[in-house]
Amino acid sequence: MEHVPPPAEELARLDRELAELDARRAQLLTRRAWLLAALRPPAPTAAPGWNPSAWGAPAAGRPGAPAQPWGYVPPKRPSAPRSAQNVLLTLGGLLLTVAAVAFTLVSWGSMGIGGRSAVLAAVTVGALAAPAVLLRRGLTATAEALAALALVLTLLDAYAVHAVAAPDTDGLGFTAVAAAVLAALWTAYGLALGRLHLPLPAAVVLAQWPLLFGAWAAGAPALVVGWALLATAVLDGAIALWGKGTGARVTACVGGSVMAFSALMVGLTLSVTASGPLGALAPGALLLTAAAAALAGAWRAPRGFARAGGVVAGLAVVAAVGGVPAAAVPEDWAVLAYLSAGLALTAVVRTGLPRNAVLGVLVASAAVVAGALAGALPGLAAVLLGPVTLLSDVWAGSPEGFRAALGSTLPWTGLAATPVVLAVSAGLLGAAYRWWPSLARIAAPLIAREEPGSGGAAAYGAGPASSAGAPGAGTPEAGGAAVPGAGGEPGAGTAGTGGTQAPGASGAEAPGAPGAAAPGASGGPWYAGGRAGAAWFAGGAPAARRRPSGAALRGAAGAGAAVLGWGALLLAGAVLDVPYAVAVAGETALVAGLLALAVRGTGSGREGSAAVPVTALVAALAGAVSAGLLSLASEGASYAVFGALAALFAGAAVRAGAGVERAVFAVASTVGCTVLTGFAGRSLGLAPHEAAPLMLLVPALTVLFGARLRRNPVALPVELTGALGALVAVGLAVPDAPFLALVLALCGVLAAGAAVRPERRPVAAYLAAALFVLATWVRLAASEVSFPEAYTLPVTVPALMVGFLRRRKDPEASSWTAYGPGLAATLLPSLAVAWTDPDWQRPLLLGVSALVITLLGARYRLQALLLLGGAVLALDGLHELAPYVVQVAGALPRWLPPALAGLLLLVVGATYEQRLRDARRLKDALGRMR
């Protein structure tokens, strides 16, 4: 039984109708609920605050009452009395301030000295006294407004005193004294009237200027100005820690940050520009004092501010300590002085500073090291990428030195210290990788985890905080401080319990007990590396889960050591400008060393050990590319380097374990061999298209290699690399058609050889057939054959007969397999010739043949005949109708094509669903064909 419409279409229509009914029912229910609520008496007005009914919940006092209907806009409420009062007071205070300023600056000269003093003093005293009275009456907002007015009046008083009583005094000096007096006055005023919010922050703002303006007025040198800024910053820090009121403390924090930054910039500038070590001592003292002040504030500051203070202190110490030797050495070597000072900061882990301050200092140390390493990036990039310039002039001759081969304009003499910086950093990272357990024990109390919610302000190294039974001590999985010995040893406390275990207890708790360690955890700290820190992510606080494991950190240290050591050796050759031959041999030797490191680490199976071999592998590939490009200046060096690289990567592939690394090694070796075959063609003096068949030597070897390996994971990447080499050969042969036909035929032979293997047959067989056909067409075109049918029909007829017999034997066989190759062998070349044939006979015969093939495909439901015949018929008809279409289009008005296009889009859009159904039917019909 055939449904009209089809079941799928009817089901979709029913779903749409049911959805519309549901939407309409929900709309009617909402309207009904609102009407029921409107018929009930209104509920008492609730107190102002959060109104749940606005979100659709029943209002208080009206169970089940719905929210307001859609589109309901509540009436605007009048402004709250307190808000209106604040607006009025603000406007009034502004108007009074403007009037006072205008009186002082404009109308001052119309009164005598007595009248001026009396008026301004009376108004100021009244403005200062009024807030006290208003506060007793509960008018806080009015008192704040008058206090603001009094602040402005005191500033005008100071200006008036300078203009009348002391007009000859220095402006900066008088401003410094006035700021100090006003700051003291407003401090006392704010402390006396503690309910006012404005006086104390205003006093803090005024306190920023006395020392700075005083030093400026006295003509003090820059160093004295820096001390004045630092003293002001220390005062601000004291206010931020012990001051009264949030406003005053926030203002002091902002002002202290600005003043401290300015003082540090002054000290740093003087230290960097010092003429000698003695000249750098005084700025260094300023910087060290700033560091001491920052660390002193870190004892009481919250966690974030304590860490920021540690960062500032660390950077200041580096600038102070490193600036003295930096002033004594040449400018190019100054970076070593600062690097040494930055590395020395790591000794802070042995001090009794707060934990967060220590972390900040370590961040500063890392920032200094990162800055020193960033200075090496331009030189390293020039060494790795500079040989690219040799591609434009291959085998032009060996240059005199390494720098000449790079073609870079960098000031290499200014990078003399860069290799030393890289070598020192590599050595330290290598030492950390080698002695990681000892380093982990040293840093154990510092990196120990805290209990969730702890402020972390306890001093690092304090005895009670790290003893057994202290809150937060225990296994890292539970979020406690994982100190050595706290993971199941007798007497070690469990996390979060605050108690100690009984002697001899194993440390394991029942599942779900507070502080129970994760299953499988050995109790060692998470940062210790190896299996001891493997299970830190199994439990504990969410912040703990985001921390990397100790094995990962150790692997990162080892990887960094390998990369930095490699970069140091590369840059050393460029800085020393070693001979070209030494540079080429050195880069090749570095690649060999990196490959040895990569092979040694692959397949070790240790957790976290993959970082070092993977990094070494990536560095080896980058070094191989750089060395290969560098060798292009000389023919002998090119053969030697690429031959050595191919052998090194092949040996690495043999020694490496099964995996991605082995495949990468094999692919790199294949690429090196392919480049060598290209060099052979250039040495023989062959043109590019003549050297193309020679380039197929490596793809042929990869086919044989793949047949030898069979299903080894390395076989497919190697064969794909060989296929890319064959593609390069095809590209080289494109300019010459006969050679292109030869190369395509040889590629077809290689693909046919690969198709012998069952696992490659589904792809290689079709590829071989396509390459053979394409080679035939190219050969016919190169021979200027005008009747390709004479060559294609003898192939098409037997192919169709074979396909017919195959279909008789196996009716389920695909028509593409049986008839596709035979039809394509004639139809496609004939179509290509017909598009360039000025006569009408060939297009007519081709169109008739394509029409017959299309009809046969529709009659016998054969997909290949229908699609191939239809496509050729459509293209042939388009070729014949194209001149007339162009002629008609030229005669039409300009507006008609856009109008027709728009009309077509409208029709398609209006019948979009029908078109989709038609497309689905067509797809299903084609899918049912063979």
Side-chain angles (χ1 to χ4, degrees):
M1 177 179 178
E2 186 174 354
H3 290 271
V4 179
E9 180 181 351
E10 185 178 359
L11 179 60
R13 184 182 303 171
L14 290 176
D15 290 340
R16 287 195 299 270
E17 292 178 357
L18 289 174
E20 292 174 358
L21 290 175
D22 291 339
R24 179 58 178 168
R25 184 175 183 274
Q27 182 181 3
L28 294 176
L29 288 175
T30 302
R31 181 63 179 175
R32 179 180 180 276
W34 182 82
L35 292 174
L36 291 176
L39 295 175
R40 296 194 183 100
T45 305
W50 177 59
N51 182 16
S53 63
W55 297 90
R62 295 164 62 180
Q68 298 292 351
W70 294 106
Y72 173 78
V73 180
K76 294 184 178 180
R77 297 181 179 179
S79 300
R82 182 70 63 182
S83 301
Q85 179 190 20
N86 292 336
V87 172
L88 293 176
L89 290 174
T90 303
L91 292 177
L94 288 176
L95 291 176
L96 288 175
T97 302
V98 172
V101 173
F103 172 77
T104 304
L105 299 179
V106 180
S107 302
W108 186 263
S110 62
M111 301 179 64
I113 183 63
R116 289 179 256 176
S117 302
V119 170
L120 199 55
V123 175
T124 303
V125 171
L128 289 173
V133 179
L134 294 173
L135 287 175
R136 286 196 297 268
R137 295 179 177 271
L139 302 176
T140 306
T142 308
E144 291 283 359
L146 288 181
L149 176 62
L151 172 62
V152 177
L153 289 176
T154 54
L155 296 176
L156 294 177
D157 287 335
Y159 169 76
V161 170
H162 179 265
V164 176
D168 297 330
T169 58
D170 180 60
L172 286 176
F174 184 85
T175 303
V177 175
V181 172
L182 291 177
L185 173 64
W186 278 93
T187 301
Y189 187 75
L191 293 176
L193 302 178
R195 295 172 60 186
L196 293 178
H197 300 288
L198 181 62
L200 290 179
V204 174
V205 173
L206 290 171
Q208 308 300 310
W209 312 113
L211 294 178
L212 177 60
F213 285 169
W216 197 356
L223 184 62
V224 177
V225 174
W227 281 106
L229 291 170
L230 180 59
T232 306
V234 171
L235 176 62
D236 289 330
I239 296 173
L241 290 175
W242 296 289
K244 179 181 178 181
T246 304
R249 299 175 70 178
V250 171
T251 306
C253 184
V254 175
S257 300
V258 175
M259 292 297 173
F261 177 79
S262 303
L264 291 173
M265 288 298 102
V266 171
L268 179 61
T269 303
L270 294 176
S271 177
V272 172
T273 58
S275 58
L278 295 178
L281 289 176
L286 174 63
L287 294 170
L288 288 176
T289 305
L295 290 178
W299 287 93
R300 288 181 55 88
R303 179 172 60 180
F305 289 95
R307 292 185 180 181
V311 173
V312 172
L315 295 177
V317 169
V318 170
V321 177
V324 176
V329 299
E331 182 181 357
D332 301 335
W333 293 87
V335 63
L336 286 179
Y338 293 108
L339 178 63
S340 301
L343 294 174
L345 289 179
T346 55
V348 75
V349 297
R350 290 291 192 178
T351 64
L353 291 175
R355 177 180 180 273
N356 290 309
V358 173
L359 291 177
V361 173
L362 293 179
V363 169
S365 176
V368 172
V369 176
L373 295 178
L377 290 179
L380 192 58
V383 173
L384 292 176
L385 302 178
V388 175
T389 57
L390 297 175
L391 290 174
S392 60
D393 198 6
V394 179
W395 295 356
S398 301
E400 296 180 359
F402 193 10
R403 298 180 192 173
L406 298 179
S408 175
T409 58
L410 283 178
W412 292 104
T413 56
L415 299 176
T418 303
V420 182
V421 171
L422 294 177
V424 170
S425 303
L428 292 175
L429 288 177
Y433 179 79
R434 173 64 179 83
W435 291 286
W436 185 262
S438 301
L439 182 64
R441 284 193 297 271
I442 294 174
L446 174 65
I447 315 178
R449 287 183 172 81
E450 305 170 359
E451 281 291 330
S454 62
Y460 147 69
S466 58
S467 62
T475 58
E477 288 78 5
V483 296
E489 298 177 7
T494 57
T497 63
T500 58
Q501 291 179 353
S506 62
E509 299 189 18
S522 63
W526 66 277
Y527 42 81
R531 298 305 304 176
W536 65 268
F537 50 81
R545 298 190 187 102
R546 292 192 296 267
R547 296 182 180 178
S549 64
L553 293 176
R554 183 179 185 180
V563 172
L564 293 178
W566 169 59
L569 294 176
L570 287 179
L571 274 179
V575 170
L576 298 175
D577 196 18
V578 298
Y580 172 75
V582 175
V584 172
E587 288 203 16
T588 308
L590 286 177
V591 173
L594 290 171
L595 287 177
L597 183 60
V599 171
R600 182 181 178 184
T602 56
S604 61
R606 294 182 300 170
E607 181 185 0
S609 62
V612 176
V614 169
T615 304
L617 172 59
V618 174
L621 293 175
V625 173
S626 179
L629 292 175
L630 186 64
S631 68
L632 294 180
S634 171
E635 182 177 2
S638 299
Y639 279 106
V641 169
F642 277 95
L645 291 177
L648 287 173
F649 279 104
V654 173
R655 294 295 301 274
V660 178
E661 295 84 357
R662 189 174 189 180
V664 173
F665 292 144
V667 167
S669 178
T670 305
V671 172
C673 294
T674 304
V675 175
L676 285 175
T677 57
F679 288 161
R682 183 180 178 88
S683 298
L684 294 174
L686 301 177
H689 63 274
E690 295 173 342
L694 186 62
M695 292 287 292
L696 296 177
L697 177 61
V698 173
L701 293 177
T702 59
V703 172
L704 297 176
F705 186 73
R708 175 69 177 83
L709 293 179
R710 289 290 177 176
R711 297 185 181 276
N712 193 294
V714 180
L716 181 59
V718 170
E719 289 182 83
L720 291 177
T721 307
L724 290 178
L727 186 62
V728 172
V730 172
L732 293 176
V734 165
D736 190 274
F739 270 95
L740 178 59
L742 174 62
V743 171
L744 289 173
L746 292 176
C747 291
V749 172
L750 295 179
V756 175
R757 297 155 51 196
E759 66 274 12
R760 300 286 184 263
R761 188 171 301 155
V763 176
Y766 289 103
L767 181 61
L771 288 172
F772 283 133
V773 172
L774 187 59
T776 303
W777 293 346
V778 172
R779 180 69 258 184
L780 293 177
S783 301
E784 297 181 355
V785 174
S786 57
F787 294 97
E789 292 82 5
Y791 299 91
T792 58
L793 284 176
V795 176
T796 296
V797 173
L800 293 178
M801 294 179 61
V802 172
F804 177 75
L805 296 177
R806 168 73 184 279
R807 288 275 300 171
R808 285 187 61 184
K809 183 179 180 181
D810 183 13
E812 298 298 325
S814 173
S815 61
W816 289 101
T817 304
Y819 304 119
L823 292 175
T826 296
L827 290 179
L828 297 183
S830 299
L831 178 64
V833 176
W835 270 64
T836 59
D837 193 350
D839 297 329
W840 58 272
Q841 293 88 351
R842 185 189 301 276
L844 177 61
L845 294 176
L846 180 62
V848 171
S849 302
L851 177 61
V852 172
I853 294 172
T854 304
L855 295 176
L856 289 176
R859 170 65 181 81
Y860 294 101
R861 305 180 66 82
L862 299 176
Q863 191 179 96
L865 277 67
L866 180 62
L867 294 182
L868 277 176
V872 172
L873 180 61
L875 292 175
D876 186 63
L878 178 62
H879 172 263
E880 294 302 311
L881 295 177
Y884 304 102
V885 172
V886 172
Q887 184 177 0
V888 172
L892 292 176
R894 297 286 182 90
W895 55 267
L896 189 57
L900 293 176
L903 181 61
L904 177 62
L905 292 177
L906 288 176
V907 172
V908 172
T911 59
Y912 182 72
E913 295 292 338
Q914 183 62 36
R915 300 286 80 78
L916 285 180
R917 289 192 291 271
D918 294 342
R920 294 191 189 99
R921 293 194 188 98
L922 178 60
K923 178 183 177 181
D924 295 339
L926 290 176
R928 289 191 294 268
M929 292 183 177
R930 300 303 302 171

